[in-house]
């Protein structure tokens, strides 16, 4: 064996050993790396894996329905054809959404209001997608370096001018595409979003069903929409819903698990009882692959539609009250068009004075521009006006409690003249009268004396100035608040007006305040006030909802009772029972005696109902024309009150001879007659 061959053999094991060492090190490194991945970073990577492969989507369910006191559906859910879009995980890119919208625009037609509300930005964004290359040239490379992606996009849009997109404003096809894309853009990943569910034709439904494979995420199904069997009666109080979180309230709704495309109550009872009506969402688990394709899905929870509301409203009574109030408003305007040229509104509320249950609430408005009569039931809680003498019962109670007047005390009703103040008087000189007669005949002067005494002025002399404690305004207002005047009634609506609170403190203002011609009040406040007198001094929250029911499996049927709304007493007024009974006696005299201000306007049927209450007239003016606000409050029967009412008609014209059309009395006569002939006997 040569020396060269022996040397070559010696090197071979050495090289193999080096190779084995290298392989060993590589395997060791691999094992080490696997250990790091599995042991140290295992939980982190597993979380990422689960996050990208498992997602829970929450899908809205139909809202709860609203029924009247007789179990009739007032607000229901009507099934409709629906076209939906379900984005994949992480959504579709903008160009793909544009492609889907373009294809859909060849099949469906969006509502006119959808195309009418296209914004400047939406036109620019559409133009950008069609002309992205040209648009991108409008921002320099150096600008791009100093801005993030969002700022680059916004800057580019700003440089798209009206001249660029103005042709789109007259392109109906483009407007359809933009309106559809708006819906696609607002969809949430993995959650079906409604593109169109109103007036979807059978042709649209069938065509999309045949072509769903060409439009990723598009589907046809059945949805629901709100329907109103009673032709919009009580519509304002029932409220409305809209798709999408209201602007400025994003944090509130998102914190309560709402999504951007949820349908939400935005007014009235729909908003007040949103948490009950919205229901529990259906929950679906989606498993997606690395390409965001849905591999499988599993329903975790079927969800449940919202709970149902049953109102104390009797819809037959409600419809009749709407008709009565509208008829009388129309009669007043048609019979005296000149005098009543500023008359536009009339409101009425009928409720149970012992429980606060509202039986009917109507507001009617005459739209002079369109020459149409419209329902405006929310005026019962928002339209505040000077109410005149209806407050005199509260004034008298305040006087009793402050020791400013005693039961049976007499004052001389003759014009009161205060220095630097216009003459103050009643509509006639009544001579010496007591507190009951002051209510019966509606004496202003009697209430003036009560107010001055509350302010510490007991020696008023005609022609001289008066000295009274300015705190009299606060004292009188506090007593008014006790019975519901000038404060929130607590009615179950999202908001209500408390009226105007006067600020000046002259003697004349105090006198006006005591007869309802300074602060202003709503019809609902008047209804709560007269109910407080009727039931013996308990101020009770008026409410529309009387019961809450679980959803029923039977169509249009109430399910199991979940909750009953019990009467809620806000306060007991501080007047004694004897003082309250004294005012109630005066209220009876208003309606049941010959000298009572309401007596001559009652029908024979109405008199048989044994009504008690108070009339009110407040002077006002518009464009130099003298007008009057008429109010009427009452309850029946006087001995055992079961219904209370408040009626308000602002800006009633004065007919020649100083007369007025007796609109408030006509409404009361007709409404009480219907109640006792169609509603009350059955309840009794």
């Amino acid at each position: 064996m040569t020396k060269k061959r022996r040397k070559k053999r010696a090197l071979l094991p050495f090289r193999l050993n080096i190779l084995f060492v290298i392989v060993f090190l590589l395997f060791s490194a691999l094992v080490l790396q696997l250990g790091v991945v599995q042991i140290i970073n295992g939980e982190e990577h597993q979380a990422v894996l689960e996050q990208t492969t498992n997602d829970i989507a929450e899908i809205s369910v139909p809202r709860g329905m609203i029924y009247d006191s007789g179990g009739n559906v007032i607000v229901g859910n009507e099934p409709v054809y629906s076209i939906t879009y379900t984005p994949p995980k992480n959504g579709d890119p903008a160009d793909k959404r544009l492609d889907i919208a373009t294809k859909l625009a060849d099949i469906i037609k969006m509502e006119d209001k959808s195309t009418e509300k296209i914004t400047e930005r939406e036109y620019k964004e559409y133009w950008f997608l069609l002309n992205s290359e040209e648009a991108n040239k409008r921002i320099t490379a150096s600008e791009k370096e100093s801005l993030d992606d969002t700022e680059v996009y916004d800057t580019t849009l700003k440089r798209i001018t009206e001249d660029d997109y103005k042709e789109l404003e007259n392109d109906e096809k483009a407007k359809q595409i933009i309106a559809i894309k708006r819906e696609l853009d607002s969809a949430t990943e993995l959650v079906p979003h409604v593109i169109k569910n109103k007036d979807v034709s059978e042709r649209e439904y069938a065509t999309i069903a045949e072509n769903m494979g060409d439009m990723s995420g598009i589907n046809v199904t059945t949805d629901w929409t709100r329907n109103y069997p009673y032709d919009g009666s009580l519509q304002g109080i029932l409220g409305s819903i809209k798709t999408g979180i209201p602007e400025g309230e994003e944090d509130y709704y998102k914190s309560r698990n709402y999504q951007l495309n949820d349908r939400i109550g935005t007014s009235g009872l729909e908003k007040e009882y949103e948490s009950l009506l919205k229901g529990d969402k259906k929950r679906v688990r989606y498993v997606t692959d690395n390409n965001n394709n849905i591999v499988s899905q599993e329903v975790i929870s079927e969800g449940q539609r919202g709970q149902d509301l049953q109102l104390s409203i009797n819809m037959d009574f409600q419809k009749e009250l709407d008709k009565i109030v509208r008829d009388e408003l129309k009669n007043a305007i048609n019979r005296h068009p000149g005098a009543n040229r500023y008359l536009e509104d009339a409101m009425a509320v009928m409720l149970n004075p012992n429980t606060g249950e509202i039986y009917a609430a109507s507001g009617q408005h005459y739209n002079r521009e369109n020459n149409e009569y419209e329902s405006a039931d929310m005026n019962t809680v928002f339209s505040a006006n000077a109410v005149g003498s209806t407050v005199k019962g509260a004034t008298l109670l305040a006087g009793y409690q402050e020791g400013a007047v005693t039961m049976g005390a007499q004052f001389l009703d003759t014009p009161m003249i205060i220095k630097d103040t216009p003459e103050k008087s009643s509509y006639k000189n009544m001579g010496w009268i007591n507190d009951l007669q002051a209510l019966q005949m509606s004496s202003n002067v009697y209430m003036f004396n009560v107010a001055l005494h509350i302010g510490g002025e007991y020696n008023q002399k005609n022609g001289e100035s008066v000295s009274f404690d300015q705190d009299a305004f606060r004292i009188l207002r506090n007593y008014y608040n006790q019975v519901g005047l000038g404060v929130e009634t607590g009615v179950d609506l999202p908001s209500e007006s408390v009226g105007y609170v006067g600020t000046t403190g002259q003697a004349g203002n105090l006198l006006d305040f005591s007869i309802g011609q300074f602060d202003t009040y709503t019809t609902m406040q008047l209804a709560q006030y007269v109910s407080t007198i009727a039931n013996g001094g308990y101020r009770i929250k008026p409410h529309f909802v009387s019961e809450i029911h679980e959803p029923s499996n039977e169509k249009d049927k109430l399910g199991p009772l979940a909750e009953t709304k019990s009467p809620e007493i806000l306060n007991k007024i501080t007047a004694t029972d004897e003082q309250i009974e004294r005012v109630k006696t005066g209220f009876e005299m208003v309606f049941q005696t010959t000298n009572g201000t309401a007596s001559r306007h009652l029908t024979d049927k109405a008199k048989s109902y044994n009504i008690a209450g108070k009339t009110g007239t407040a002077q006002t003016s518009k464009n130099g024309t003298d007008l009057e606000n008429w109010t009427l409050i009452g309850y029946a029967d006087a001995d055992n009150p079961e219904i209370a009412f408040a009626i308000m008609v602002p800006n009633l014209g004065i007919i020649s001879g100083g007369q007025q059309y007796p609109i408030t009395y006509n409404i009361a006569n007709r409404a009480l007659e219907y109640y006792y002939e169609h509603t009350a006997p059955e309840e009794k």
Side-chain angles (χ1 to χ4, degrees):
M1 184 180 295
T2 64
K3 185 177 181 181
K4 185 176 182 182
R5 184 176 294 176
R6 284 198 303 269
K7 186 176 181 182
K8 191 173 184 180
R9 280 186 177 177
L11 289 174
L12 185 59
F14 177 73
R15 291 175 179 173
L16 285 174
N17 289 336
I18 292 176
L19 179 61
F20 288 145
V21 170
I22 292 172
V23 171
F24 174 77
L25 292 175
L26 289 175
F27 272 107
S28 298
L30 179 61
V31 170
L32 180 62
Q33 184 61 32
L34 289 173
V36 170
V37 170
Q38 185 170 352
I39 298 172
I40 299 178
N41 299 326
E43 291 185 6
E44 180 182 349
H45 289 298
Q46 181 65 27
V48 172
L49 178 63
E50 291 176 355
Q51 182 180 1
T52 56
T53 59
N54 290 275
D55 294 277
I56 305 297
E58 296 187 331
I59 301 171
S60 295
V61 294
R63 289 175 74 81
M65 303 202 294
I66 303 178
Y67 295 78
D68 80 342
S69 60
N72 303 300
V73 177
I74 307 175
V75 182
N77 297 321
E78 180 181 358
V80 291
Y81 284 146
S82 178
I83 300 167
T84 65
Y85 167 63
T86 306
K89 182 171 174 58
N90 298 327
D92 283 319
D95 57 348
K96 186 172 182 179
R97 295 197 300 273
L98 176 62
D99 179 61
I100 296 171
T102 303
K103 291 177 179 177
L104 277 176
D106 290 330
I107 304 173
I108 67 173
K109 184 179 186 303
M110 300 294 283
E111 289 184 88
D112 290 341
K113 65 180 182 181
S114 295
T115 57
E116 289 170 358
K117 66 179 184 180
I118 294 175
T119 64
E120 178 186 29
R121 184 180 178 89
E122 287 176 324
Y123 278 121
K124 288 183 175 183
E125 288 178 335
Y126 180 62
W127 187 91
F128 175 85
L129 289 172
L130 296 180
N131 305 274
S132 56
E133 187 175 339
E134 180 180 344
N136 287 328
K137 293 178 181 177
R138 300 187 180 185
I139 185 166
T140 65
S142 59
E143 287 177 313
K144 290 180 180 179
E145 290 178 0
S146 62
L147 302 173
D148 61 31
D149 292 343
T150 301
E151 292 171 331
V152 168
Y153 182 67
D154 289 340
T155 303
T156 304
L157 289 184
K158 288 178 182 178
R159 293 176 185 178
I160 297 173
T161 67
E162 185 177 356
D163 289 336
D164 292 322
Y165 66 80
K166 65 180 179 181
E167 292 184 1
L168 298 176
E169 296 176 332
N170 298 316
D171 186 336
E172 289 303 318
K173 175 68 178 296
K175 291 164 71 173
Q176 287 287 320
I177 294 172
I178 294 171
I180 294 170
K181 186 175 177 296
R182 178 195 300 133
E183 297 299 331
L184 304 183
D185 292 344
S186 61
T188 302
E189 63 178 40
L190 301 176
V191 178
H193 175 82
V194 174
I195 299 172
K196 180 180 180 181
N197 68 352
K198 185 176 181 181
D199 300 327
V200 176
S201 69
E202 291 186 5
R203 183 195 64 80
E204 290 176 332
Y205 189 93
T207 304
I208 289 178
E210 292 173 3
N211 294 276
M212 288 192 301
D214 297 332
M215 295 175 287
S216 174
I218 298 299
N219 193 13
V220 286
T221 183
T222 54
D223 192 26
W224 57 271
T225 186
R226 282 308 215 194
N227 70 318
Y228 304 90
Y230 287 88
D231 299 325
S233 181
L234 212 68
Q235 184 63 58
I237 285 169
L238 293 173
S240 59
I241 62 173
K242 65 167 287 188
T243 299
I245 295 175
E247 187 176 352
E249 300 182 55
E250 291 83 3
D251 292 342
Y252 173 84
Y253 283 103
K254 286 181 179 179
S255 67
R256 287 158 177 78
N257 202 32
Y258 280 81
Q259 296 168 342
L260 292 175
N261 60 346
D262 281 345
R263 277 171 277 194
I264 300 171
T266 56
S267 64
L269 297 176
E270 292 274 19
K271 182 175 182 179
E272 180 70 11
Y273 291 93
E274 168 67 19
S275 61
L276 300 177
L277 290 168
K278 70 182 180 68
D280 296 322
K281 293 181 178 180
K282 179 179 180 180
R283 303 180 77 239
V284 180
R285 176 185 287 115
Y286 290 96
V287 179
T288 57
D289 61 21
N290 292 334
N291 295 320
N292 295 327
N293 297 314
I294 297 175
V295 176
S296 65
Q297 64 185 64
E298 174 191 4
V299 176
I300 301 173
S301 170
E302 289 289 352
Q304 187 178 54
R305 76 169 179 85
Q307 292 179 302
D308 297 329
L309 308 180
Q310 184 168 24
L311 309 187
S312 53
I313 292 283
N314 178 304
M315 282 308 292
D316 289 337
F317 190 18
Q318 176 66 43
K319 292 284 286 185
E320 185 65 21
L321 185 63
D322 285 341
K323 181 179 184 301
I324 291 169
V325 175
R326 183 170 295 193
D327 282 350
E328 294 303 329
L329 179 61
K330 187 180 296 185
N331 289 341
I333 292 172
N334 290 346
R335 293 183 186 183
H336 309 285
N340 285 324
R341 61 188 178 277
Y342 296 113
L343 175 60
E344 295 181 348
D345 294 287
M347 290 80 72
V349 173
M350 318 287 288
L351 76 169
N352 185 321
N354 305 302
T355 65
E357 293 175 296
I358 300 170
Y359 294 148
S362 180
Q364 300 297 317
H365 174 73
Y366 177 49
N367 186 324
R368 292 186 175 274
E369 290 185 7
N370 300 332
N371 191 28
E372 292 179 350
Y373 288 87
E374 306 165 340
S375 291
D377 42 72
M378 287 297 283
N379 280 349
T380 58
V381 295
F382 280 117
S383 179
N385 300 276
V387 300
S389 299
T390 47
V391 306
K392 288 177 180 176
T395 302
L396 206 51
L397 284 172
Y400 293 152
Q401 294 170 86
E402 280 295 301
V405 62
T406 58
M407 290 183 287
Q410 293 188 338
F411 289 114
L412 179 63
D413 186 308
T414 188
M416 183 177 287
I417 302 172
I418 298 174
K419 185 178 180 181
D420 300 325
T421 299
E423 179 181 290
K424 300 289 185 180
S425 65
S426 302
Y427 62 91
K428 68 176 183 179
N429 295 340
M430 301 178 188
W432 287 97
I433 57 173
N434 64 21
D435 49 345
L436 294 181
Q437 293 169 312
L439 291 176
Q440 175 196 32
M441 296 185 289
S442 200
S443 167
N444 289 344
V445 173
Y446 196 99
M447 302 304 155
F448 295 159
N449 280 286
V450 172
L452 288 175
H453 286 191
I454 289 175
E457 173 59 90
Y458 283 83
N459 299 304
Q460 184 272 329
K461 295 180 181 179
N462 275 349
E464 297 182 4
S465 59
V466 297
S467 175
F468 69 95
D469 189 343
Q470 288 288 319
D471 201 39
F473 284 96
R474 182 193 61 81
I475 294 171
L476 195 53
R477 195 166 278 128
N478 283 346
Y479 285 117
Y480 282 7
N481 291 170
Q482 283 189 35
V483 296
L485 298 175
V487 292
E488 290 187 350
T489 66
V491 64
D492 51 347
L493 291 170
S495 60
E496 60 175 315
S497 170
V498 296
Y500 166 81
V501 176
T503 55
T504 52
Q506 299 174 344
N509 297 137
L510 180 63
L511 304 188
D512 289 341
F513 186 25
S514 70
I515 61 170
Q517 299 199 151
F518 192 51
D519 287 5
T520 65
Y521 312 110
T522 68
T523 313
M524 192 64 72
Q525 287 175 321
L526 288 180
Q528 186 179 63
Y529 155 52
V530 74
S531 294
T532 303
I533 302 297
N535 67 36
Y538 295 92
R539 185 165 76 96
I540 298 175
K541 272 188 179 183
H543 56 93
F544 291 96
V545 174
S546 59
E547 294 179 349
I548 298 164
H549 289 258
E550 298 295 346
S552 171
N553 293 325
E554 295 185 62
K555 179 176 172 58
D556 297 343
K557 296 292 184 182
L558 283 164
L561 179 65
E563 180 184 347
T564 298
K565 290 285 187 179
S566 301
E568 186 174 346
I569 299 172
L570 298 174
N571 61 270
K572 171 73 166 67
I573 65 175
T574 54
T576 67
D577 291 345
E578 186 181 9
Q579 291 167 343
I580 296 171
E581 286 300 318
R582 184 76 175 177
V583 170
K584 292 177 72 172
T585 299
F587 275 16
E588 289 179 45
M589 293 171 65
V590 170
F591 278 83
Q592 298 176 30
T593 62
T594 302
N595 290 333
T597 53
S599 176
R600 67 188 180 93
H601 294 293
L602 292 183
T603 63
D604 290 338
K605 276 190 176 181
K607 289 179 180 178
S608 71
Y609 304 142
N610 192 25
I611 309 171
K614 189 71 187 74
T615 60
T617 305
Q619 281 69 45
T620 184
S621 65
K622 196 166 186 176
N623 296 330
T625 301
D626 290 335
L627 303 168
E628 293 180 340
N629 298 340
W630 272 32
T631 53
L632 185 66
I633 60 173
Y635 51 89
D637 76 28
D639 298 326
N640 185 25
E642 63 179 80
I643 187 167
F645 61 87
I647 302 165
M648 180 184 294
V649 182
N651 299 321
L652 192 67
I654 301 174
I655 307 168
S656 59
Q659 299 299 309
Q660 295 89 2
Y661 179 76
I663 181 171
T664 54
Y665 303 100
N666 291 353
I667 292 172
N669 285 329
R670 293 175 62 184
L672 288 170
E673 182 176 330
Y674 183 89
Y675 170 78
Y676 278 104
E677 291 191 3
H678 298 279
T679 304
E682 186 175 323
E683 292 183 354
K684 286 182 179 179

